[in-house]
Amino acid sequence: MFESIAAGVPNILWPFDADQPIHAAYMAEVTRLGEGAQPPARGGKVEGTAEAVVAEFKQVLSEIKGEVGKRKRTNLMALRHQTFEALKEGGEVQKEVRACLKLAAGEA
């Protein structure tokens, strides 16, 4: 995800396993870049068919052209800015890595 954020490219997140669900939830809820996983309609079921996948992608792609897409692109650019600020010399990333190294060395 970092590479696409750095490039300012929106993502379609479809988590399967391991750390993917938590990353997708973070991107949807904290950064407001997506709508997050939606439960199936009442009485419906999750379909993994090719047709269901195509329908979902078509919906996402049509929404990205309107107000929903505008909001997501604005949020993405804000996240991109925050990311680059955190990566600067003396930024949050450097501070957290140093803290982690101190903890691992038993200095914390």
Side-chain angles (χ1 to χ4, degrees), residues 99 102-108:
K102 283 183 179 182
L103 182 64
E107 299 174 16

Side-chain angles (χ1 to χ4, degrees), residues 37-56:
Q38 302 296 315
R42 183 175 297 275
K45 63 179 182 171
V46 176
E47 295 183 43
T49 64
E51 294 81 16
V53 171
V54 168
E56 188 168 349

Side-chain angles (χ1 to χ4, degrees), residues 4-19:
S4 64
I5 293 168
V9 177
N11 285 263
I12 296 174
L13 305 174
W14 199 329
F16 284 95
D17 200 7
D19 62 344

Side-chain angles (χ1 to χ4, degrees), residues 10 20 73 78 81 96 101 103:
Q20 294 173 353
R73 286 187 295 278
H81 175 75
E96 293 298 326
L101 292 174
L103 182 64

Side-chain angles (χ1 to χ4, degrees), residues 40-95:
R42 183 175 297 275
K45 63 179 182 171
V46 176
E47 295 183 43
T49 64
E51 294 81 16
V53 171
V54 168
E56 188 168 349
F57 271 87
K58 282 182 179 181
Q59 178 185 350
V60 169
L61 292 174
S62 70
E63 289 175 352
I64 205 73
K65 296 174 185 174
E67 287 300 312
V68 171
K70 183 178 179 180
R71 177 182 52 82
K72 289 180 183 182
R73 286 187 295 278
T74 298
N75 291 350
L76 176 61
M77 297 319 296
L79 177 61
R80 182 178 186 271
H81 175 75
Q82 291 171 352
T83 299
F84 283 116
E85 287 297 312
L87 289 169
K88 284 183 177 178
E89 184 72 29
E92 286 300 312
V93 170
Q94 193 174 66
K95 290 176 189 174

